[in-house]
């Protein structure tokens, strides 16, 4: 099943299959190591739900929900 990363359930691992966003954001995500083939896990979200923390490559980063909706993951 492929879905946007912002819809991944907390604690569930997924594998990035594609990133469909602007070149600038795609480069920023690449700098974090978020590229197709990367395993990611949703860790937690802010109380308002507009910021989501994800785990990848041994690190935890927080990104805006609106940016995560463009990242596709296979569960």
């Amino acid at each position: 099943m492929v879905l946007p990363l912002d819809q991944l359930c907390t604690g569930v691992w997924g594998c990035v299959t594609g990133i469909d966003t602007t070149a600038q954001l795609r480069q920023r995500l690449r700098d974090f190591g978020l590229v197709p083939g990367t395993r990611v896990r949703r860790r937690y979200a802010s109380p308002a739900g507009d910021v989501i923390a994800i785990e990848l490559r041994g690190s935890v980063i927080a990104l805006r929900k609106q940016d995560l909706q463009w990242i596709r993951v296979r569960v």
Side-chain angles (χ1 to χ4, degrees):
M1 167 194 289
V2 176
L3 53 112
L5 183 51
D6 68 318
Q7 294 180 12
L8 192 65
C9 294
T10 300
V12 175
W13 285 95
C15 183
V16 176
T17 61
I19 301 172
D20 302 319
T21 187
T22 64
Q24 182 180 8
L25 180 57
R26 193 174 15 255
Q27 180 60 47
R28 182 173 159 235
L29 296 172
R30 189 177 306 130
D31 291 343
F32 286 130
L34 193 61
V35 294
T38 303
R39 283 181 33 112
V40 297
R41 176 171 63 154
R42 181 175 170 155
R43 293 288 299 263
Y44 42 84
S46 67
D50 56 339
V51 177
I52 298 172
I54 59 170
E55 178 181 347
L56 68 147
R57 301 180 188 268
S59 298
V60 177
I61 60 172
L63 297 168
R64 294 177 296 183
K65 183 177 181 175
Q66 67 188 31
D67 294 337
L68 293 176
Q69 69 184 354
W70 302 109
I71 302 168
R72 303 285 179 230
V73 294
R74 174 170 282 119
V75 179

